[in-house]
Amino acid sequence: MDNYIKCGFGLWAVVLKETGEFIGDCGITIQDIDGEMLPEIGYHIHKKYWRKGFAKEAARAVRDWVFLNTQYDIIYSYMKYTNIGSYSTALANGMKKVKEYQDPKNTISYAYAITREEWKKMKEN
Ligand SMILES: CC(C)(COP(=O)(O)OP(=O)(O)OC[C@H]1O[C@@H](n2cnc3c(N)ncnc32)[C@H](O)[C@@H]1OP(=O)(O)O)[C@@H](O)C(=O)NCCC(=O)NCCS
């Protein structure tokens, strides 16, 4: 709620269109990525619904929303280096790995990113 007030965005609910069931969240928040406060797309899907493409669909929608509605020229996703589902979702979102760094929380974190220019080119093709 605080993020919505301060930033005008935050994590949003991921809801099944057919039933209205709430199955996770996805959205943009400002996160500490290797000491810098940066816009980050995060996602969490209920285990029951894993591997059905929901994180990918939600993350792409958030990425498009960010470039259409904010001034950010680059957006990130970061994760623990072992989180294959998370970095596969970032790759599917058109991002590429831009950083590997020591992170007390994750041991090693990966940061993925897509720029506005890359996004524009991707949309043209
Ligand atoms: C990470 C997470 C959101 C992925 O959600 P999902 O809805 O299952 O992901 P999708 O079905 O959209 O899959 C996206 C991509 O990741 C791949 N993937 C997802 N889970 C995977 C796994 N466990 N192992 C390998 N690949 C995986 C999919 O194959 C797909 O890749 P593709 O584009 O090459 O086909 C989900 O596993 C989750 O909620 N995990 C716990 C919370 C979490 O770790 N969030 C990220 C914090 S950094």
Side-chain angles (χ1 to χ4, degrees):
M1 296 302 288
D2 214 33
N3 279 327
Y4 298 152
I5 294 162
K6 279 191 199 145
C7 308
F9 51 70
L11 290 174
W12 293 301
V14 175
V15 170
L16 292 183
K17 279 184 185 163
E18 295 78 11
T19 59
E21 188 182 352
F22 168 55
I23 64 158
D25 65 56
C26 183
I28 177 164
T29 56
I30 304 300
Q31 295 288 329
D32 180 340
I33 301 180
D34 200 18
E36 283 185 274
M37 300 309 284
L38 298 168
E40 201 253 354
I41 297 179
Y43 22 77
H44 305 86
I45 299 293
H46 190 292
K47 200 167 189 174
K48 189 173 146 195
Y49 291 101
W50 281 3
R51 307 296 299 261
K52 294 178 188 296
F54 290 125
K56 202 167 17 178
E57 182 181 340
R60 286 173 176 165
V62 170
R63 173 203 64 198
D64 290 353
W65 185 91
V66 171
F67 284 131
L68 292 171
N69 293 283
T70 76
Q71 300 297 312
Y72 295 123
D73 287 323
I74 182 162
I75 337 169
Y76 296 83
S77 284
Y78 85 108
M79 68 291 298
K80 186 174 175 140
Y81 72 109
T82 49
N83 196 336
I84 304 172
S86 184
Y87 64 69
S88 300
T89 302
L91 284 170
N93 202 11
M95 294 182 168
K96 54 177 189 278
K97 189 155 80 171
V98 292
K99 205 169 208 184
E100 253 184 71
Y101 59 98
Q102 299 289 325
D103 181 340
K105 195 176 69 181
N106 289 340
T107 324
I108 297 169
S109 283
Y110 291 165
Y112 282 70
I114 182 168
T115 65
R116 182 178 291 278
E117 281 310 305
E118 287 164 347
W119 171 75
K120 267 190 204 159
K121 274 192 198 130
M122 202 179 71
K123 287 286 179 184
E124 279 161 18
N125 296 327

